Amino acid sequence: MTEQTSNVPMEKIVSLAQRRGFVFPSSEIYGGLSGCWDFGPLGIELKRNIKQAWWKAMVQDRDDIVGIETSILMARQVWEASGHTERMVDPLVECKNCHLRWKADDLQGTRCPTCDGELTSPKMFNVMFKTFVGPVEDSANVVYLRPETAQGMFVNFDNVLQSTRKKLPFGIAQQGKSFRNEITTGNFIFRSREFEQMEMEFFVKPGTDEEWFNYWVQTRFDWFIKYGLKREHLDLSEHPKEKLAHYAKRCVDITYLFPHGWAELEGVANRTDYDLKQHSRASGKTLDYYDDDTKEHYTPYVVEPAVGVDRPLLAFMCDAYAEEPDKDETRVVMHFHPALAPIKAAILPLSKKENLSAFARDIYKDLKSQLMVQYDDTQSIGRRYRRQDEIGTPYCVTVDFQSLEDKRVTIRERDTMNQIRIPVSELRKTLTAKLEGEEMFVLPPGGEIWKVERESK
Ligand code: GAP
């Protein structure tokens, strides 16, 4: 891997996230709950946009993948068959002096990183959260909060196959919460105890799995670049054989240069036929595939691209973040991809005068029916631009007194700070086209060429 440092310290992202309403500590007024986070008004928009971009790429734009949503609580036998009850364990060590607990794999030396005290020998600790179904808290009623969404798709393999009549290769995709009682959490939302995953199980004919594996590594890598991660902040890391998960034949992590260093963003695993065979054996229900072409029954292999939502959210925030000179000052700007930006446009009337407000409000209402937009008429226009830059709003629409006469407004672009003046009648069409990445402006009736100028001093 290349020797580099991240472009932004974590404190700046954490501070912006809290200040502008992206991410708050969970239960903050009670001192917080470690490893849990709340998403504020802008954070939830960003999160939903990331999930939608993934869903579009993985389900809506494809003919060979279908979506599903399965329950968080599943029969206990699922986790016994999948091997999680026995093997989803981390080696836990405790400092004999300060009693802090650590995941042994995360430690460099053999002493406590906090006080240099002696450590106990590792004990295996299962990271699945336990709870009970029904009112009686006895061992017969124990269930687990799922530690991955994947098993919901394996146990529904036959339901999906029968109801959709899909042919191999095909995939089942799902987004949803997962829970792991991580020994150590940290680095902001990077490692949490409650987090969201976006996973896809791609079922293929055995023997074609290697090819599909490479395809999915490349496809997922390209997705991150498409939505704004910098190529030089992304890399691939192959798991050595001895570190592979119990179900995997091969695993490649897509890694990202987070502020705390290079770390896994997404994992692509070749899970072979392990899960389907385990569930077949344990449930007694045959989970195989009849190949019409070759007239044979076999258990498909599975290639799984598995990613959280929270880690990409942090990565997209880091690579969007910039501090740029602006006149005599510095502006903080989030260069989010337009599809991910929480707010698509802000309507900014230059005065609060009644006639101008009414005109600007009509524009706002018209846009709001289609786009996530904000209306802001407080403080100077310069400050309002800064506020929108800091949350990554791609376009500001300024409405001035001239607008009342000529029925035109100014669009100011976040990244270039260029301004163009266009007829209000063309605004919605133009913004939509620009948000979808079209280079050309929609020409107004009459073919007039719009003026492009730098933001005036
Ligand atoms: N089904 C396979 C699986 O769950 P994983 O590598 O353990 O594989 C997949 O998890 C992805 O889920 C990770 O690449 C990461 O993005 C996210 N993830 C896993 N544990 C997480 C945690 N404790 N906090 C936040 N995200 C997590």
Side-chain angles (χ1 to χ4, degrees):
M1 281 183 191
T2 27
E3 275 303 312
Q4 289 172 284
T5 50
S6 166
N7 59 337
V8 54
M10 189 74 101
E11 307 81 69
K12 293 209 174 183
I13 298 295
V14 175
S15 151
L16 189 147
Q18 170 105 28
R19 191 172 66 248
R20 299 309 311 271
F22 283 87
V23 183
F24 308 123
S26 163
S27 321
E28 192 181 9
I29 59 168
Y30 291 102
L33 176 64
S34 149
C36 298
W37 299 92
D38 295 342
F39 289 83
L42 293 179
I44 184 61
E45 293 300 329
L46 177 58
K47 206 173 185 212
R48 289 171 73 113
N49 293 340
I50 292 170
K51 286 164 65 177
Q52 176 50 29
W54 186 92
W55 197 255
K56 180 169 154 45
M58 302 297 273
V59 179
Q60 292 171 339
D61 286 351
R62 302 185 65 110
D63 293 328
D64 56 355
I65 303 180
V66 292
I68 190 174
E69 183 175 297
T70 68
S71 61
I72 288 171
L73 301 176
M74 301 177 77
R76 198 174 49 197
Q77 295 95 313
V78 169
W79 306 108
E80 284 158 9
S82 69
H84 285 80
T85 315
E86 191 190 338
R87 294 159 102 164
M88 190 142 199
V89 285
D90 280 337
L92 168 85
V93 291
E94 187 174 327
C95 173
K96 290 183 182 170
N97 183 40
C98 71
H99 300 288
L100 278 179
R101 290 176 173 168
W102 307 91
K103 188 173 162 182
D105 295 349
D106 290 344
L107 297 181
Q108 303 293 338
T110 52
R111 313 284 299 183
C112 171
T114 305
C115 72
D116 201 38
E118 193 187 337
L119 298 169
T120 59
S121 49
K123 263 191 276 173
M124 290 321 236
F125 167 75
N126 193 302
V127 301
M128 286 198 292
F129 278 99
K130 260 186 209 167
T131 188
F132 303 91
V133 282
V136 185
E137 296 193 2
D138 70 17
S139 57
N141 295 328
V142 165
V143 289
Y144 299 100
L145 303 192
R146 66 179 176 200
E148 61 170 13
T149 63
Q151 297 304 324
M153 297 182 267
F154 296 127
V155 299
N156 275 291
F157 170 75
D158 202 52
N159 284 336
V160 173
L161 191 63
Q162 298 309 327
S163 58
T164 63
R165 305 173 64 79
K166 284 276 172 210
K167 299 251 176 287
L168 287 194
F170 79 92
I172 309 179
Q174 144 152 259
Q175 301 180 332
K177 288 271 175 132
S178 290
F179 302 81
R180 293 183 195 174
N181 198 0
E182 303 278 6
I183 296 168
T184 45
T185 57
N187 295 312
F188 194 32
I189 54 173
F190 177 82
R191 181 170 287 120
S192 317
R193 296 200 166 100
E194 173 177 341
F195 54 97
E196 206 155 352
Q197 286 189 307
M198 309 188 280
E199 299 196 287
M200 195 276 291
E201 311 305 321
F202 201 69
F203 301 95
V204 303
K205 185 173 183 181
T208 64
D209 48 309
E210 291 289 339
E211 205 180 305
W212 279 110
F213 184 87
N214 295 336
Y215 167 85
W216 280 111
V217 171
Q218 187 66 54
T219 303
R220 294 298 307 144
F221 195 91
D222 294 346
W223 184 85
F224 287 113
I225 304 230
K226 173 174 176 188
Y227 285 102
L229 295 193
K230 297 186 174 127
R231 173 64 190 82
E232 65 274 22
H233 292 165
L234 284 167
D235 213 333
L236 295 177
S237 162
E238 176 100 35
H239 284 213
K241 285 261 174 301
E242 64 281 6
K243 290 223 164 147
L244 284 174
H246 62 272
Y247 50 73
K249 166 178 162 188
R250 197 179 161 201
C251 186
V252 167
D253 286 344
I254 299 175
T255 54
Y256 173 77
L257 186 58
F258 286 97
H260 60 280
W262 285 98
E264 176 187 344
L265 182 60
E266 168 154 356
V268 183
N270 182 341
R271 294 182 77 127
T272 69
D273 54 6
Y274 174 85
D275 300 273
L276 289 180
K277 282 214 166 129
Q278 287 292 103
H279 288 305
S280 247
R281 233 174 262 139
S283 67
K285 161 110 186 152
T286 309
L287 297 175
D288 67 5
Y289 177 77
Y290 178 68
D291 192 323
D292 253 345
D293 300 331
T294 61
K295 313 283 177 227
E296 40 174 358
H297 285 270
Y298 52 80
T299 308
Y301 265 39
V302 174
V303 177
E304 174 198 68
V307 65
V309 182
D310 316 72
R311 281 186 199 177
L313 189 142
L314 177 56
F316 285 124
M317 286 191 82
C318 291
D319 268 359
Y321 186 93
E323 291 176 12
E324 296 172 356
D326 179 21
K327 299 174 197 152
D328 300 332
E329 294 173 11
T330 302
R331 70 168 185 155
V332 170
V333 52
M334 295 296 267
H335 291 283
F336 285 129
H337 185 287
L340 301 190
I343 306 295
K344 308 301 181 192
I347 315 308
L348 314 175
L350 282 189
S351 144
K352 284 187 183 173
K353 289 237 165 66
E354 181 54 36
N355 53 350
L356 199 61
S357 292
F359 187 74
R361 285 237 171 243
D362 280 348
I363 295 175
Y364 169 69
K365 272 190 230 144
D366 177 56
L367 292 176
K368 198 169 169 53
S369 62
Q370 202 179 334
L371 298 171
M372 195 70 199
V373 286
Q374 273 188 356
Y375 186 89
D376 185 4
D377 61 1
T378 57
Q379 297 185 310
S380 73
I381 189 69
R383 284 213 169 176
R384 282 183 269 167
Y385 285 154
R386 294 302 89 83
R387 278 205 292 270
Q388 294 299 331
D389 285 345
E390 202 187 33
I391 61 169
T393 306
Y395 302 105
C396 288
V397 178
T398 40
V399 185
D400 53 27
F401 286 106
Q402 182 68 25
S403 306
L404 296 175
E405 309 292 320
D406 64 7
K407 306 285 181 275
R408 284 166 179 255
V409 289
T410 303
I411 301 181
R412 180 255 195 195
E413 300 192 342
R414 176 196 69 197
D415 295 347
T416 59
M417 294 193 274
N418 281 344
Q419 301 195 1
I420 54 168
R421 199 158 169 89
I422 64 158
V424 175
S425 57
E426 302 296 321
L427 180 62
R428 199 204 288 202
K429 220 189 320 175
T430 308
L431 281 179
T432 313
K434 285 162 85 55
L435 286 163
E436 280 169 8
E438 281 182 32
E439 297 290 332
M440 302 289 294
F441 299 140
V442 181
L443 279 177
E448 191 180 333
I449 296 167
W450 298 338
K451 207 169 136 201
V452 178
E453 57 189 29
R454 285 282 297 170
E455 188 182 329
S456 56
K457 293 222 168 194

